[in-house]
Amino acid sequence: MSKLKIALQKNGRLSEKSIKLLEECGIKFPNGGGKLITESTNFPLEILFLRDDDIPQYVEQKVADIGIIGENVFAESLKNINSIEKLGFSACRLSLAVSKDVDYQGLSFFNNKRVATSYPNILSGFFRNNDIHTNIEIISGSVEIAPGIGLSDGICDIVSSGSTLLSNGLKEVVKVMDSQAILVANPDLEVNKQQILEKLLFRIRSVRNAKE
Ligand code: PRT
Ligand code: ZN
C-alpha cells in the first residue's frame, strides 16, 4: 500500500507549527539533520520539506498528495488543488498600505498608481472587482521598502503585528484577505490515500477540538 505524502514548509513561519500539529496527532517521525524527506514510523505518511511557494505546484503534480500552506499562497498559486481544512495557526492578513503621510480617503486613491507586491494574482483580482485601475509592480521580497525608494505609491503585503509597516513609514489602509495555515490536497487521490487522509483529518480535528 502506498503511503500518503505530505509537503511541509522546510524553513519558515509555518514549519514549526506544521511539525507540531503532526506530532500532536500522534504521528512519530525522525526529524532533523536537514533531511528533505522523512517517513513516519507509526503512520503511513511520508513527509517532504519544501519551500512554501513550491508546494501548490507539487501537490497539483502529485509529487506530494497534500500539503500545509498559507491561504495567501494557495490563493496566489491558481493551481488545481483543493483547500480542505483550516488549521488555525499562522494567522495574518494581506493588506494594502501607503506612506503614513498620504491623506488616504478611499480605494480610488489607487487609481493609476503603482502598487508593489509579491501577490499579483490576488491583487489584480481585488482591484478588478473594485473597478480600480492600478499598475502592479511584482517584487519578490522586501516589498515594504518600495514606496520609500520611489518604486511604487503603495504596497500589498502580509501583515501580522503591523510593526514592519510602522518601521518603514507605512500605514495599513485596506485588508485584501485574511489568511491562516490550511491543508491542501490533490483533487484526485487514489482510494487508499484518500482513506489515510481521512484518518489524518480525523486526528487533526480531534486535536483542534481538544484545544477549544
Ligand atoms: O522560504 P519560503 O519561501 O518557504 O518562506 P517565505 O519566506 O515565503 O514564507 P514565511 O516563512 O515568511 O511565511 C510563510 C507563511 O506564514 C506566509 O505565506 C503566511 O501565510 C504566514 N505568515 C504569518 C506570515 C506572517 N505571519 C508574517 N508576518 N508571512 C509573512 N510575514 C512577514 C510579512 O511578509 C512582513 O514582512 O512578516 C512581516 C510583517 O510582520 P509584522 O508582524 O511586522 O506585521
Ligand atoms: Zn515562500
Side-chain angles (χ1 to χ4, degrees), residues 60-139:
E60 182 181 58
Q61 296 171 340
K62 285 200 185 173
V63 173
D65 303 302
I66 63 173
I68 295 179
I69 50 176
E71 284 177 294
N72 50 308
V73 168
F74 170 73
E76 183 61 26
S77 78
L78 306 177
K79 299 292 182 201
N80 179 28
I81 58 175
N82 293 336
S83 166
I84 56 169
E85 188 81 3
K86 293 189 192 258
L87 299 175
F89 60 84
S90 300
C92 57
R93 56 198 186 271
L94 188 65
S95 286
L96 284 159
V98 298
S99 162
K100 64 174 176 11
D101 304 326
V102 168
D103 176 25
Y104 180 83
Q105 301 286 347
L107 258 193
S108 60
F109 166 82
F110 290 103
N111 253 322
N112 301 313
K113 296 270 179 23
R114 295 160 306 159
V115 180
T117 191
S118 313
Y119 296 91
N121 294 325
I122 296 173
L123 190 59
S124 58
F126 175 82
F127 281 130
R128 206 179 313 119
N129 289 339
N130 286 284
D131 273 324
I132 307 279
H133 176 268
T134 308
N135 301 301
I136 295 177
E137 307 284 344
I138 306 170
I139 50 180

Side-chain angles (χ1 to χ4, degrees), residues 9 12-13 51-53 70 72 92 144 158 160-164:
Q9 188 188 25
R13 287 185 164 86
R51 281 200 61 186
D52 66 345
D53 316 78
N72 50 308
C92 57
E144 294 91 350
I158 298 291
S160 76
S161 68
S163 67
T164 304

